[in-house]
Amino acid sequence: MWKNLMLQDSSSPLMEQLSFFHDHTLMILVIITILVGLILINLFLNKFTHRLLLEGQTIEIIWTILPAITLIFIAIPSLRLIYILDEINNPAITVKIIGHQWYWTYEYSDFKNIEFDSYMISSESNKNYEFRLLDVDNRMVIPSNSQVRILVTAADVIHSWTVPSLGIKLDATPGRLNQASLFCNRSGLFYGQCSEICGTNHSFMPIIVESVLPKYFINWIYNSIEN
């Protein structure tokens, strides 16, 4: 929904893990904020003094060890998640994505002659069921419940291929191929946008990933080759 203030609903296992880590970290931060707030209020309201207090070894040890333990509870799941995000095992297909000023090009290198550009549909051409500044003329189509490897690069300046509900944000850098894994656990349309300021029309190069059942994906591949 447009008024959504939290993360988008996850549509991939990676995004589910990112959401869990977000909630885990936020819970720790809320506890720390409440604890520090209570201590500050207590300091302002109480009238205790200690005229001979110059140092306190005990309290210094406590406020050194407790933050270190807290960081460990955040770092371990964070490092685990980083390695999970980089894991790619036996992808079903590979899609190469090239960023341009200001559109995307998709190449299905596993199949012959499947390459197309994806431009944003202008506001004047939008139909009633299409989203303004988010719909494109050619969507990236992938099979659901399948491991997809994406290779991202750029032809001119740095772009960033981002689909929040799939937990993907990958920089498109000229002269470099960045690799990531994509897995949609349901069919649907998933919207994203370029997340790196790349020029005057940066806001007008949206992304749509269309996840379909494998049998429909095969039909789409066949029709694309025929055309």
Side-chain angles (χ1 to χ4, degrees):
M1 300 298 292
W2 302 114
K3 294 183 180 179
N4 185 23
L5 298 177
M6 298 298 290
L7 300 175
Q8 294 184 15
D9 291 340
S10 60
S11 303
S12 72
L14 294 179
M15 188 56 193
E16 287 178 3
Q17 293 297 319
L18 288 169
S19 298
F20 294 151
F21 178 69
H22 168 269
D23 296 341
H24 168 78
T25 308
L26 195 61
M27 180 188 67
I28 294 175
L29 294 178
V30 168
I31 293 172
I32 292 173
T33 303
I34 293 173
L35 182 60
V36 173
L38 291 175
I39 292 173
L40 286 174
I41 292 171
N42 186 54
L43 286 174
F44 282 116
L45 295 182
N46 75 63
K47 298 180 180 179
F48 298 126
T49 58
H50 195 312
R51 66 187 181 87
L52 298 177
L53 181 61
L54 297 176
E55 63 178 24
Q57 293 292 337
T58 304
I59 190 66
E60 288 179 7
I61 291 173
I62 291 173
W63 73 39
T64 301
I65 292 178
L66 281 183
I69 294 173
T70 304
L71 288 175
I72 289 173
F73 277 101
I74 296 175
I76 290 176
S78 175
L79 292 172
R80 171 181 167 272
L81 191 53
I82 288 174
Y83 281 102
I84 290 176
L85 291 173
D86 284 339
E87 192 73 24
I88 300 177
N89 289 319
N90 301 319
I93 62 167
T94 298
V95 183
K96 185 178 179 183
I97 303 164
I98 305 171
H100 304 267
Q101 289 180 313
W102 288 270
Y103 63 95
W104 299 98
T105 297
Y106 297 97
E107 297 178 5
Y108 290 75
S109 52
D110 296 320
F111 309 97
K112 184 179 179 182
N113 297 330
I114 300 183
E115 178 182 347
F116 54 86
D117 297 330
S118 178
Y119 288 87
M120 184 192 75
I121 298 176
S122 64
S123 301
E124 295 78 16
S125 304
N126 273 131
K127 298 181 174 60
N128 292 332
Y129 55 83
E130 292 176 336
F131 293 121
R132 178 179 174 271
L133 303 183
L134 280 179
D135 264 290
V136 297
D137 54 358
N138 292 308
R139 300 165 179 166
M140 173 183 165
V141 182
I142 61 172
S144 61
N145 294 312
S146 301
Q147 195 82 23
V148 179
R149 178 174 61 181
I150 58 173
L151 303 174
V152 180
T153 187
D156 34 49
V157 299
I158 298 176
H159 302 273
S160 186
W161 197 83
T162 306
V163 183
S165 61
L166 299 178
I168 289 289
K169 182 179 186 297
L170 206 58
D171 286 341
T173 308
R176 177 186 177 122
L177 275 178
N178 286 329
Q179 177 178 265
S181 176
L182 193 62
F183 188 96
C184 285
N185 50 21
R186 62 188 178 91
S187 301
L189 297 179
F190 309 105
Y191 294 83
Q193 290 175 301
C194 177
S195 299
E196 185 74 37
I197 297 176
C198 55
T200 55
N201 288 336
H202 158 69
S203 302
F204 307 112
M205 48 185 303
I207 301 158
I208 296 185
V209 176
E210 182 177 0
S211 175
V212 298
L213 293 174
K215 62 178 181 179
Y216 296 123
F217 176 76
I218 293 172
N219 291 336
W220 178 82
I221 289 291
Y222 178 77
N223 294 330
S224 299
I225 292 175
E226 288 294 314
N227 295 329

